Amino acid sequence: MAELDLNELKRRMDGAISSLKSDLAGLRTGRASPNLLDPITVEAYGNQMPLNQVANVTAPEARMVAVTVWDKQMVGKVERAIRESSLGLNPITDGTTLRIPLPELNEQRRKELVKVAHQYGEGAKIAARHVRRDGMDTLKKLEKDGEIGQDESRQTSDRVQKMTDDTIAEIEKMLSVKEAEIMQV
């Protein structure tokens, strides 16, 4: 007997939210954040590795990110990866430490970042809707096969819809907070 597991649907919707959180953390606001460099990968020892697996990333000042590379031979590759990223950053090399000053964001760049945040949010909403669709498909099949009645199907369907609405509301809230953070001068 197939069954609809609401906890599994909730877990998948929460996954969409946590994915959005990490995407938004990588978006630059007016302040320096070690998470800013999370999307960057470096070619290390024959593999693509996240930057935080070959170096220590800190934000010692409000407008500065510091990257301390653990292996001296990796400094050039880390610097190149940061320069070639879409973040528009220019690191200053000092031994095994890269200092990355964050330029002031202009109005146009802020608006571009808000658009990117909304794209991330739309992706998370789509993921939540896919989870809802999977749940609804399972419900229809269970009802069609006579494993659950119409009333139970309708009640569960309402719960799945409420779960989806709550998830999308949380995504909207996260987006508005991030947008305010980005636009703050």
Side-chain angles (χ1 to χ4, degrees):
M1 173 177 143
E3 195 177 310
L4 179 65
D5 184 358
L6 291 176
N7 291 332
E8 175 65 11
L9 292 181
K10 178 75 175 133
R11 186 194 63 73
R12 288 174 57 198
M13 286 189 189
D14 289 346
I17 288 175
S18 65
S19 173
L20 176 63
K21 275 182 187 161
S22 67
D23 287 345
L24 290 179
L27 274 184
R28 211 167 109 208
T29 59
R31 299 184 301 284
S33 163
N35 297 349
L36 176 65
L37 302 179
D38 283 352
I40 296 177
T41 58
V42 181
E43 212 262 276
Y45 316 111
N47 294 319
Q48 284 291 74
M49 299 176 83
L51 179 64
N52 61 11
Q53 289 186 8
V54 295
N56 190 23
V57 182
T58 58
E61 300 171 30
R63 297 211 144 309
M64 175 86 62
V65 174
V67 178
T68 307
V69 184
W70 299 321
D71 183 349
K72 213 184 289 190
Q73 284 127 13
M74 294 297 300
V75 175
K77 290 181 179 180
V78 170
E79 180 182 2
R80 195 170 327 110
I82 293 170
R83 276 189 206 285
E84 292 172 356
S85 74
S86 61
L87 299 173
L89 301 173
N90 288 312
I92 301 163
T93 308
D94 180 16
T96 58
T97 302
L98 300 169
R99 288 191 320 276
I100 306 165
L102 298 181
E104 191 71 46
L105 291 175
N106 62 23
E107 188 70 17
Q108 179 185 357
R109 183 69 179 132
R110 287 177 194 277
K111 287 180 179 169
E112 287 172 16
L113 288 174
V114 167
K115 281 182 188 169
V116 170
H118 282 283
Q119 287 171 349
Y120 289 157
E122 199 51 45
K125 288 180 197 174
I126 289 170
R129 290 184 191 118
H130 283 307
V131 173
R132 176 190 62 195
R133 187 196 60 218
D134 293 348
M136 295 300 195
D137 289 349
T138 303
L139 272 177
K140 284 178 190 158
K141 185 178 182 329
L142 288 173
E143 188 179 345
K144 182 176 162 253
D145 295 348
E147 293 182 30
I148 62 172
Q150 270 187 340
D151 291 345
E152 187 181 349
S153 175
R154 197 168 301 120
Q155 285 175 342
T156 309
S157 162
D158 291 346
R159 288 172 59 194
V160 170
Q161 184 60 48
K162 178 165 178 12
M163 201 186 304
T164 306
D165 293 343
D166 292 347
T167 301
I168 288 178
E170 188 172 343
I171 290 169
E172 288 289 340
K173 185 175 154 203
M174 289 168 61
L175 281 175
S176 65
V177 166
K178 189 65 176 184
E179 184 175 346
E181 213 175 272
I182 291 171
M183 294 310 286
Q184 181 182 15
V185 180

